[in-house]
Structure formats: C-alpha cells, structure tokens
Amino acid sequence: MQVTLLLFAGLAERAGQNSIQIELPDSSTVQDLLDKLPHEYPALKELLSSCFVSVNQEYADHHTIIKENDEVAILPPVSGGEEPRFAITEAPLSVEPLIKLVSHRNCGAILTFIGTVREMTQGQRTVYLSYEAYIPMAIEKLKQVEAEIHERWENIRVAIHHRIGDLQIEEIAVVIAVSSPHRNDSFEAGRYAIERLKQIVPIWKKEIWEDGNEWKGHQLGPWNPTADLDSEKK
C-alpha cells in the first residue's frame, strides 16, 4: 500500500516538501514505517529519534497498525527545538539529555561514558584543562563515528557531546550515550566511539599545570586520522 506522510517544521525543510509517499506492506505498523523511512529518505534520519507519529490525528505507539487511507504525520518537537545528537559546546554537560536522545522502545541497554577532568596525570597536578575544536569539522567527524558504528553493529543509536573552553577539575569534558537491543553491543560500540573520537575528531586539549602547560594529542600512538582504529592498535 502507498501511504502519504505529512511533514512539519525541520522535517519538511529537510525533505523540501510538506508530504512524502512511502510504500508499505499491508498491516504495517508504525515501527515498520520508522524502520523503512530512513532508507527511503536519508535526509530525515537524524531527526526521527526525537519525533512522534500520529495516525488519524491521534498519537500512535510503535505497534499501531497503519491502513492505506489513514492520515499519517511525523511530528517533530513542538517547542524548544530538537537537541542535537552531536554537539561541540561551551555549556556544561550532563548525561540525561543524551540518554533521552538514544532511548527508544526497542533498546534493551543504554551505555553512557562520561569523560571528566582529573587532577593527577603521571605525577603532575593539573590545575585545569582548556579544549579547542574545529567545530564544523568536529561535528561531521562525530557523525562519521556514528556511521562507522552502524557498519559494525545493528540497531545502535549514538549521541556525543563534547565541551570546549576552560574546564576545572571534575568537570565533564565529553558525554557519549549508546543504545542497543543487547548490552554487549552497547559496551563495544561505546568503547569504539570514544577511541575513534580521540583519533579523528579535531579537538585539542591543553593541560595547565602548576608549573607550565602543554597541548596534548590523542594517546593511541602516532597521530594518523586517516587510518582505521584497528590498524592503529597493531
């Protein structure tokens, strides 16, 4: 059956139109629609995790059956805008917004990684850290990390926020949230995300000590952002 989807706000802007057509088997559910939609309209993929679906002007859960003549709409948040899944920011970070970004009905595990500023490193006392980033490229590389994760593990959702500017001891520098149907995939994908971030995302860290300072690179060996992660570990 052919279903017409109504789009609004940022969804319509990305699609370049207020409605789109999609072919679905008879008796398809809202979940079937959400599974197929990113493949048919990739431009919408990034926003779908924060959207709701209505069927005949009623909010629908993922088990709702869609019929051929139903009025189906994809609804972005109505106020406050959508929280980006990938962000470089000067604002303090917290984990709760990222958990919401990756949480959904079919995930059985949500892993969070929080990177904080530590005081002692190899016997030196850090006073504070200063982070700098090439922001547009950093965000694109965070999206690349997500794409690489999708090639290795199925049904993974990822959100990564990294802070820049001056950070004091114990403040949060980076938050990563990964959801998956099963816990092992979330552990593996979360570890991949932080190691790949350090390898390819253009973010620099300056350590300020009591008696000096130094810019620090990643800690995976000679820096080569064009290499894959496995080759750097060898």
Side-chain angles (χ1 to χ4, degrees):
M1 62 178 176
Q2 188 173 73
V3 177
T4 299
L5 305 179
L6 305 180
L7 305 178
F8 303 89
L11 290 168
E13 186 174 80
R14 291 203 174 197
Q17 52 193 324
N18 294 320
S19 66
I20 56 177
Q21 306 289 324
I22 190 167
E23 288 283 341
L24 293 171
D26 291 341
S27 300
S28 290
T29 64
V30 167
Q31 183 62 58
D32 295 327
L33 166 65
L34 293 174
D35 288 343
K36 186 172 184 180
L37 193 55
H39 300 287
E40 297 285 333
Y41 296 92
L44 305 182
K45 180 178 180 180
E46 188 174 336
L47 303 184
L48 289 177
S49 63
S50 61
C51 294
F52 284 84
V53 177
S54 72
V55 177
N56 298 324
Q57 301 181 10
E58 293 290 342
Y59 290 112
D61 64 30
H62 287 210
H63 302 291
T64 300
I65 301 294
I66 299 173
K67 303 181 183 64
E68 186 166 15
N69 294 320
D70 284 345
E71 180 179 298
V72 182
I74 313 295
L75 308 174
V78 296
S79 65
E82 61 233 6
E83 184 82 15
R85 287 189 299 113
F86 305 102
I88 306 295
T89 178
E90 294 183 357
L93 299 177
S94 60
V95 70
E96 289 82 5
L98 281 81
I99 291 176
K100 292 179 181 179
L101 287 171
V102 301
S103 179
H104 60 95
R105 290 176 178 270
N106 292 324
C107 73
I110 298 177
L111 177 137
T112 58
F113 171 85
I114 302 173
T116 58
V117 178
R118 64 176 178 265
E119 184 175 24
M120 300 301 296
T121 302
Q122 297 178 347
Q124 286 184 306
R125 185 182 302 278
T126 299
V127 178
Y128 67 93
L129 296 181
S130 184
Y131 285 91
E132 181 180 335
Y134 179 13
I135 295 176
M137 184 176 178
I139 291 173
E140 290 305 310
K141 289 302 176 184
L142 291 176
K143 294 177 181 179
Q144 178 183 326
V145 172
E146 178 195 40
E148 293 176 3
I149 286 173
H150 287 166
E151 291 176 357
R152 294 173 176 241
W153 297 277
E154 295 183 353
N155 301 316
I156 297 283
R157 289 188 184 178
V158 183
I160 306 174
H161 289 187
H162 202 297
R163 192 174 171 191
I164 56 175
D166 294 343
L167 278 68
Q168 303 302 313
I169 304 302
E170 296 189 71
E171 286 195 290
I172 298 173
V174 59
V175 178
I176 297 174
V178 176
S179 69
S180 64
H182 306 288
R183 64 180 180 272
N184 191 58
D185 285 352
S186 66
F187 281 119
E188 293 183 356
R191 183 180 181 90
Y192 183 92
I194 185 58
E195 292 190 357
R196 195 66 166 139
L197 180 154
K198 288 179 174 293
Q199 182 188 13
I200 68 170
V201 180
I203 298 173
W204 300 272
K205 176 178 68 176
K206 189 176 187 179
E207 292 189 1
I208 291 83
W209 310 309
E210 294 173 314
D211 58 352
N213 59 75
E214 182 181 359
W215 287 101
K216 294 284 189 179
H218 82 153
Q219 299 170 343
L220 302 176
W223 186 54
N224 182 5
T226 63
D228 59 45
L229 188 60
D230 293 334
S231 67
E232 285 224 343
K233 289 181 177 180
K234 295 179 181 177

